[in-house]
PDB file of all heavy atoms in Angstrom:
ATOM      1  N   LEU N 214     -40.841 184.316 -40.138  1.00 83.00           N
ATOM      2  CA  LEU N 214     -40.907 182.854 -40.264  1.00 83.00           C
ATOM      3  C   LEU N 214     -42.267 182.399 -40.767  1.00 83.00           C
ATOM      4  O   LEU N 214     -42.389 181.340 -41.375  1.00 83.00           O
ATOM      5  CB  LEU N 214     -40.613 182.202 -38.898  1.00 83.00           C
ATOM      6  CG  LEU N 214     -39.198 182.391 -38.338  1.00 83.00           C
ATOM      7  CD1 LEU N 214     -39.110 181.792 -36.943  1.00 83.00           C
ATOM      8  CD2 LEU N 214     -38.171 181.752 -39.260  1.00 83.00           C
ATOM      9  N   GLN N 215     -43.294 183.217 -40.490  1.00 84.00           N
ATOM     10  CA  GLN N 215     -44.651 182.873 -40.925  1.00 84.00           C
ATOM     11  C   GLN N 215     -45.091 183.688 -42.146  1.00 84.00           C
ATOM     12  O   GLN N 215     -46.268 183.733 -42.466  1.00 84.00           O
ATOM     13  CB  GLN N 215     -45.638 183.112 -39.776  1.00 84.00           C
ATOM     14  CG  GLN N 215     -45.301 182.381 -38.504  1.00 84.00           C
ATOM     15  CD  GLN N 215     -45.319 180.883 -38.670  1.00 84.00           C
ATOM     16  OE1 GLN N 215     -46.175 180.343 -39.365  1.00 84.00           O
ATOM     17  NE2 GLN N 215     -44.383 180.186 -38.046  1.00 84.00           N
ATOM     18  N   ALA N 216     -44.133 184.326 -42.813  1.00 87.00           N
ATOM     19  CA  ALA N 216     -44.486 185.163 -43.960  1.00 87.00           C
ATOM     20  C   ALA N 216     -44.618 184.363 -45.250  1.00 87.00           C
ATOM     21  O   ALA N 216     -45.175 184.856 -46.226  1.00 87.00           O
ATOM     22  CB  ALA N 216     -43.441 186.266 -44.149  1.00 87.00           C
ATOM     23  N   MET N 217     -44.101 183.139 -45.271  1.00 88.00           N
ATOM     24  CA  MET N 217     -44.183 182.290 -46.453  1.00 88.00           C
ATOM     25  C   MET N 217     -45.020 181.050 -46.138  1.00 88.00           C
ATOM     26  O   MET N 217     -45.002 180.541 -45.014  1.00 88.00           O
ATOM     27  CB  MET N 217     -42.786 181.863 -46.909  1.00 88.00           C
ATOM     28  CG  MET N 217     -41.863 183.023 -47.246  1.00 88.00           C
ATOM     29  SD  MET N 217     -42.393 183.944 -48.707  1.00 88.00           S
ATOM     30  CE  MET N 217     -41.967 182.789 -50.004  1.00 88.00           C
ATOM     31  N   ALA N 218     -45.729 180.557 -47.146  1.00 88.00           N
ATOM     32  CA  ALA N 218     -46.635 179.421 -46.937  1.00 88.00           C
ATOM     33  C   ALA N 218     -45.893 178.182 -46.458  1.00 88.00           C
ATOM     34  O   ALA N 218     -46.426 177.400 -45.667  1.00 88.00           O
ATOM     35  CB  ALA N 218     -47.395 179.117 -48.224  1.00 88.00           C
ATOM     36  N   GLY N 219     -44.659 177.990 -46.929  1.00 88.00           N
ATOM     37  CA  GLY N 219     -43.892 176.826 -46.495  1.00 88.00           C
ATOM     38  C   GLY N 219     -43.670 176.826 -44.993  1.00 88.00           C
ATOM     39  O   GLY N 219     -43.812 175.796 -44.330  1.00 88.00           O
ATOM     40  N   GLY N 220     -43.334 177.997 -44.445  1.00 89.00           N
ATOM     41  CA  GLY N 220     -43.157 178.120 -43.006  1.00 89.00           C
ATOM     42  C   GLY N 220     -44.454 177.910 -42.251  1.00 89.00           C
ATOM     43  O   GLY N 220     -44.481 177.300 -41.172  1.00 89.00           O
ATOM     44  N   GLN N 221     -45.553 178.397 -42.814  1.00 92.00           N
ATOM     45  CA  GLN N 221     -46.852 178.224 -42.174  1.00 92.00           C
ATOM     46  C   GLN N 221     -47.240 176.748 -42.122  1.00 92.00           C
ATOM     47  O   GLN N 221     -47.735 176.249 -41.107  1.00 92.00           O
ATOM     48  CB  GLN N 221     -47.911 179.023 -42.938  1.00 92.00           C
ATOM     49  CG  GLN N 221     -47.704 180.526 -42.842  1.00 92.00           C
ATOM     50  CD  GLN N 221     -48.661 181.300 -43.720  1.00 92.00           C
ATOM     51  OE1 GLN N 221     -48.860 180.967 -44.883  1.00 92.00           O
ATOM     52  NE2 GLN N 221     -49.271 182.329 -43.170  1.00 92.00           N
ATOM     53  N   LEU N 222     -47.017 176.032 -43.220  1.00 93.00           N
ATOM     54  CA  LEU N 222     -47.372 174.615 -43.251  1.00 93.00           C
ATOM     55  C   LEU N 222     -46.439 173.782 -42.382  1.00 93.00           C
ATOM     56  O   LEU N 222     -46.861 172.786 -41.788  1.00 93.00           O
ATOM     57  CB  LEU N 222     -47.354 174.107 -44.698  1.00 93.00           C
ATOM     58  CG  LEU N 222     -48.476 174.665 -45.582  1.00 93.00           C
ATOM     59  CD1 LEU N 222     -48.302 174.216 -47.027  1.00 93.00           C
ATOM     60  CD2 LEU N 222     -49.837 174.210 -45.067  1.00 93.00           C
ATOM     61  N   ALA N 223     -45.170 174.185 -42.281  1.00 93.00           N
ATOM     62  CA  ALA N 223     -44.248 173.482 -41.394  1.00 93.00           C
ATOM     63  C   ALA N 223     -44.696 173.637 -39.942  1.00 93.00           C
ATOM     64  O   ALA N 223     -44.646 172.680 -39.156  1.00 93.00           O
ATOM     65  CB  ALA N 223     -42.832 174.019 -41.577  1.00 93.00           C
ATOM     66  N   THR N 224     -45.150 174.842 -39.588  1.00 93.00           N
ATOM     67  CA  THR N 224     -45.660 175.083 -38.241  1.00 93.00           C
ATOM     68  C   THR N 224     -46.916 174.257 -37.988  1.00 93.00           C
ATOM     69  O   THR N 224     -47.085 173.665 -36.915  1.00 93.00           O
ATOM     70  CB  THR N 224     -45.977 176.580 -38.051  1.00 93.00           C
ATOM     71  OG1 THR N 224     -44.767 177.324 -38.176  1.00 93.00           O
ATOM     72  CG2 THR N 224     -46.599 176.843 -36.695  1.00 93.00           C
ATOM     73  N   ALA N 225     -47.806 174.202 -38.976  1.00 94.00           N
ATOM     74  CA  ALA N 225     -49.029 173.407 -38.839  1.00 94.00           C
ATOM     75  C   ALA N 225     -48.698 171.931 -38.638  1.00 94.00           C
ATOM     76  O   ALA N 225     -49.299 171.262 -37.794  1.00 94.00           O
ATOM     77  CB  ALA N 225     -49.912 173.594 -40.068  1.00 94.00           C
ATOM     78  N   ALA N 226     -47.731 171.417 -39.387  1.00 94.00           N
ATOM     79  CA  ALA N 226     -47.337 170.009 -39.255  1.00 94.00           C
ATOM     80  C   ALA N 226     -46.835 169.722 -37.848  1.00 94.00           C
ATOM     81  O   ALA N 226     -47.178 168.698 -37.243  1.00 94.00           O
ATOM     82  CB  ALA N 226     -46.261 169.680 -40.288  1.00 94.00           C
ATOM     83  N   GLU N 227     -46.032 170.639 -37.315  1.00 95.00           N
ATOM     84  CA  GLU N 227     -45.472 170.447 -35.967  1.00 95.00           C
ATOM     85  C   GLU N 227     -46.567 170.458 -34.910  1.00 95.00           C
ATOM     86  O   GLU N 227     -46.598 169.602 -34.014  1.00 95.00           O
ATOM     87  CB  GLU N 227     -44.453 171.551 -35.685  1.00 95.00           C
ATOM     88  CG  GLU N 227     -43.810 171.449 -34.317  1.00 95.00           C
ATOM     89  CD  GLU N 227     -42.809 172.569 -34.059  1.00 95.00           C
ATOM     90  OE1 GLU N 227     -42.511 173.334 -35.004  1.00 95.00           O
ATOM     91  OE2 GLU N 227     -42.336 172.678 -32.916  1.00 95.00           O
ATOM     92  N   LEU N 228     -47.487 171.420 -35.010  1.00 96.00           N
ATOM     93  CA  LEU N 228     -48.541 171.529 -34.008  1.00 96.00           C
ATOM     94  C   LEU N 228     -49.573 170.412 -34.124  1.00 96.00           C
ATOM     95  O   LEU N 228     -50.127 169.963 -33.120  1.00 96.00           O
ATOM     96  CB  LEU N 228     -49.223 172.896 -34.120  1.00 96.00           C
ATOM     97  CG  LEU N 228     -48.364 174.088 -33.704  1.00 96.00           C
ATOM     98  CD1 LEU N 228     -49.074 175.395 -34.009  1.00 96.00           C
ATOM     99  CD2 LEU N 228     -48.025 174.016 -32.218  1.00 96.00           C
ATOM    100  N   LEU N 229     -49.839 169.968 -35.347  1.00 95.00           N
ATOM    101  CA  LEU N 229     -50.800 168.885 -35.558  1.00 95.00           C
ATOM    102  C   LEU N 229     -50.200 167.518 -35.245  1.00 95.00           C
ATOM    103  O   LEU N 229     -50.929 166.548 -35.034  1.00 95.00           O
ATOM    104  CB  LEU N 229     -51.308 168.896 -37.008  1.00 95.00           C
ATOM    105  CG  LEU N 229     -52.181 170.080 -37.422  1.00 95.00           C
ATOM    106  CD1 LEU N 229     -52.364 170.098 -38.934  1.00 95.00           C
ATOM    107  CD2 LEU N 229     -53.534 170.015 -36.721  1.00 95.00           C
ATOM    108  N   GLY N 230     -48.875 167.447 -35.253  1.00 93.00           N
ATOM    109  CA  GLY N 230     -48.228 166.160 -35.035  1.00 93.00           C
ATOM    110  C   GLY N 230     -48.403 165.225 -36.205  1.00 93.00           C
ATOM    111  O   GLY N 230     -48.407 164.003 -36.058  1.00 93.00           O
ATOM    112  N   ILE N 231     -48.556 165.800 -37.401  1.00 94.00           N
ATOM    113  CA  ILE N 231     -48.771 165.018 -38.618  1.00 94.00           C
ATOM    114  C   ILE N 231     -47.749 165.453 -39.658  1.00 94.00           C
ATOM    115  O   ILE N 231     -47.644 166.646 -39.963  1.00 94.00           O
ATOM    116  CB  ILE N 231     -50.193 165.229 -39.170  1.00 94.00           C
ATOM    117  CG1 ILE N 231     -51.236 164.691 -38.190  1.00 94.00           C
ATOM    118  CG2 ILE N 231     -50.358 164.549 -40.526  1.00 94.00           C
ATOM    119  CD1 ILE N 231     -52.667 164.903 -38.639  1.00 94.00           C
ATOM    120  N   PRO N 232     -46.988 164.528 -40.233  1.00 93.00           N
ATOM    121  CA  PRO N 232     -46.055 164.919 -41.301  1.00 93.00           C
ATOM    122  C   PRO N 232     -46.822 165.362 -42.538  1.00 93.00           C
ATOM    123  O   PRO N 232     -47.735 164.676 -42.990  1.00 93.00           O
ATOM    124  CB  PRO N 232     -45.260 163.631 -41.559  1.00 93.00           C
ATOM    125  CG  PRO N 232     -46.158 162.524 -41.100  1.00 93.00           C
ATOM    126  CD  PRO N 232     -46.940 163.079 -39.952  1.00 93.00           C
ATOM    127  N   LEU N 233     -46.467 166.514 -43.069  1.00 94.00           N
ATOM    128  CA  LEU N 233     -47.157 167.064 -44.237  1.00 94.00           C
ATOM    129  C   LEU N 233     -46.204 167.183 -45.412  1.00 94.00           C
ATOM    130  O   LEU N 233     -45.018 167.459 -45.244  1.00 94.00           O
ATOM    131  CB  LEU N 233     -47.736 168.450 -43.926  1.00 94.00           C
ATOM    132  CG  LEU N 233     -48.794 168.555 -42.830  1.00 94.00           C
ATOM    133  CD1 LEU N 233     -49.201 170.017 -42.634  1.00 94.00           C
ATOM    134  CD2 LEU N 233     -50.021 167.702 -43.161  1.00 94.00           C
ATOM    135  N   GLU N 234     -46.741 166.989 -46.601  1.00 94.00           N
ATOM    136  CA  GLU N 234     -46.016 167.262 -47.846  1.00 94.00           C
ATOM    137  C   GLU N 234     -46.571 168.574 -48.387  1.00 94.00           C
ATOM    138  O   GLU N 234     -47.635 168.600 -49.010  1.00 94.00           O
ATOM    139  CB  GLU N 234     -46.242 166.136 -48.855  1.00 94.00           C
ATOM    140  CG  GLU N 234     -45.574 166.384 -50.202  1.00 94.00           C
ATOM    141  CD  GLU N 234     -46.046 165.414 -51.265  1.00 94.00           C
ATOM    142  OE1 GLU N 234     -46.757 164.450 -50.963  1.00 94.00           O
ATOM    143  OE2 GLU N 234     -45.701 165.660 -52.447  1.00 94.00           O
ATOM    144  N   PRO N 235     -45.904 169.702 -48.135  1.00 93.00           N
ATOM    145  CA  PRO N 235     -46.475 170.999 -48.517  1.00 93.00           C
ATOM    146  C   PRO N 235     -46.434 171.248 -50.018  1.00 93.00           C
ATOM    147  O   PRO N 235     -45.402 171.086 -50.659  1.00 93.00           O
ATOM    148  CB  PRO N 235     -45.601 171.999 -47.766  1.00 93.00           C
ATOM    149  CG  PRO N 235     -44.293 171.299 -47.600  1.00 93.00           C
ATOM    150  CD  PRO N 235     -44.604 169.843 -47.468  1.00 93.00           C
ATOM    151  N   LEU N 236     -47.566 171.625 -50.561  1.00 92.00           N
ATOM    152  CA  LEU N 236     -47.694 171.962 -51.976  1.00 92.00           C
ATOM    153  C   LEU N 236     -48.501 173.255 -52.055  1.00 92.00           C
ATOM    154  O   LEU N 236     -49.644 173.293 -51.619  1.00 92.00           O
ATOM    155  CB  LEU N 236     -48.404 170.841 -52.743  1.00 92.00           C
ATOM    156  CG  LEU N 236     -47.721 169.465 -52.656  1.00 92.00           C
ATOM    157  CD1 LEU N 236     -48.705 168.363 -52.976  1.00 92.00           C
ATOM    158  CD2 LEU N 236     -46.550 169.414 -53.612  1.00 92.00           C
ATOM    159  N   VAL N 237     -47.912 174.313 -52.592  1.00 92.00           N
ATOM    160  CA  VAL N 237     -48.543 175.638 -52.570  1.00 92.00           C
ATOM    161  C   VAL N 237     -48.919 176.075 -53.981  1.00 92.00           C
ATOM    162  O   VAL N 237     -48.115 175.980 -54.907  1.00 92.00           O
ATOM    163  CB  VAL N 237     -47.611 176.680 -51.927  1.00 92.00           C
ATOM    164  CG1 VAL N 237     -48.273 178.050 -51.899  1.00 92.00           C
ATOM    165  CG2 VAL N 237     -47.229 176.247 -50.509  1.00 92.00           C
ATOM    166  N   VAL N 238     -50.148 176.535 -54.126  1.00 91.00           N
ATOM    167  CA  VAL N 238     -50.661 177.044 -55.401  1.00 91.00           C
ATOM    168  C   VAL N 238     -50.946 178.528 -55.237  1.00 91.00           C
ATOM    169  O   VAL N 238     -51.538 178.942 -54.237  1.00 91.00           O
ATOM    170  CB  VAL N 238     -51.965 176.322 -55.815  1.00 91.00           C
ATOM    171  CG1 VAL N 238     -52.480 176.869 -57.140  1.00 91.00           C
ATOM    172  CG2 VAL N 238     -51.739 174.818 -55.922  1.00 91.00           C
ATOM    173  N   SER N 239     -50.529 179.338 -56.183  1.00 89.00           N
ATOM    174  CA  SER N 239     -50.790 180.775 -56.104  1.00 89.00           C
ATOM    175  C   SER N 239     -51.173 181.299 -57.480  1.00 89.00           C
ATOM    176  O   SER N 239     -50.333 181.463 -58.358  1.00 89.00           O
ATOM    177  CB  SER N 239     -49.551 181.518 -55.589  1.00 89.00           C
ATOM    178  OG  SER N 239     -49.821 182.905 -55.469  1.00 89.00           O
ATOM    179  N   ASN N 240     -52.464 181.515 -57.698  1.00 84.00           N
ATOM    180  CA  ASN N 240     -52.929 182.080 -58.973  1.00 84.00           C
ATOM    181  C   ASN N 240     -54.149 182.977 -58.759  1.00 84.00           C
ATOM    182  O   ASN N 240     -55.193 182.800 -59.357  1.00 84.00           O
ATOM    183  CB  ASN N 240     -53.216 180.982 -60.003  1.00 84.00           C
ATOM    184  CG  ASN N 240     -54.205 179.955 -59.513  1.00 84.00           C
ATOM    185  OD1 ASN N 240     -54.706 180.043 -58.404  1.00 84.00           O
ATOM    186  ND2 ASN N 240     -54.508 178.971 -60.345  1.00 84.00           N
ATOM    187  N   ALA N 241     -53.977 183.925 -57.838  1.00 82.00           N
ATOM    188  CA  ALA N 241     -54.963 184.969 -57.577  1.00 82.00           C
ATOM    189  C   ALA N 241     -56.280 184.410 -57.044  1.00 82.00           C
ATOM    190  O   ALA N 241     -56.279 183.503 -56.225  1.00 82.00           O
ATOM    191  CB  ALA N 241     -55.168 185.824 -58.824  1.00 82.00           C
ATOM    192  N   CYS N 242     -57.396 184.922 -57.534  1.00 85.00           N
ATOM    193  CA  CYS N 242     -58.692 184.660 -56.906  1.00 85.00           C
ATOM    194  C   CYS N 242     -59.116 183.197 -56.940  1.00 85.00           C
ATOM    195  O   CYS N 242     -59.893 182.760 -56.092  1.00 85.00           O
ATOM    196  CB  CYS N 242     -59.767 185.518 -57.564  1.00 85.00           C
ATOM    197  SG  CYS N 242     -59.506 187.285 -57.369  1.00 85.00           S
ATOM    198  N   ALA N 243     -58.635 182.431 -57.893  1.00 89.00           N
ATOM    199  CA  ALA N 243     -59.043 181.028 -58.021  1.00 89.00           C
ATOM    200  C   ALA N 243     -58.127 180.081 -57.276  1.00 89.00           C
ATOM    201  O   ALA N 243     -58.239 178.866 -57.410  1.00 89.00           O
ATOM    202  CB  ALA N 243     -59.086 180.639 -59.502  1.00 89.00           C
TER     203      ALA N 243
END
């Protein structure tokens, strides 16, 4: 469940009590 960034951000939103709009960028070192 925590292997993908979407799941990680959903967990963060729940624990923080803040609704998040997850946007993930993946392009190596930068």
